[in-house]
Amino acid sequence: MNIGIDLVLTDEVRESMQIHGERYVKRVYTDAEQADCGDDPRLLASCFAAKEAAMKALGRGDEPLSWRSIGVRRDAGGHLSLELTGEAAALARRRGIDTFHLSTAYHRAAAAAIVLAEGRGAP
């Protein structure tokens, strides 16, 4: 079992959106995250924190991972989960991680996320 945690300032996401616009959003967030969050910096910061926390829980080290290879999904009941694709999914398989638990919180100024990774070989 491994845990990752992250905190993201909402103003940093807002500033990235203002400076880089659509290019930032398309590079970092999955299509599902974009549809779910719209242009709300608080929600996008929450997704960003979840991505960072997941990378830590994966024990990424120096392995490059695309931001979009880790996605935050919200089901009809509002429950959040992680969806890994591409290189993030491959890293999870190599690490023997098959289950992730995600919790997020946000306020005007910041968003936080914690990820618990479990599996037969989780670091």
Side-chain angles (χ1 to χ4, degrees), residues 29-101:
Y29 302 98
T30 66
D31 294 342
E33 290 168 331
Q34 292 173 49
D36 192 40
C37 298
D39 61 357
D40 186 336
R42 292 172 309 138
L43 295 176
L44 291 170
S46 177
C47 287
F48 194 91
K51 292 169 186 283
E52 285 277 6
M55 288 182 185
K56 292 171 183 172
L58 280 167
R60 169 177 80 105
D62 290 337
E63 296 196 45
L65 292 180
S66 161
W67 292 110
R68 290 176 54 97
S69 69
I70 301 171
V72 177
R73 301 293 301 221
R74 183 181 310 273
D75 69 17
H79 180 263
L80 296 177
S81 62
L82 290 175
E83 179 178 44
L84 276 55
T85 59
E87 61 266 23
L91 178 59
R93 281 191 300 275
R94 285 194 306 277
R95 298 274 196 264
I97 299 170
D98 55 18
T99 304
F100 291 91
H101 305 279

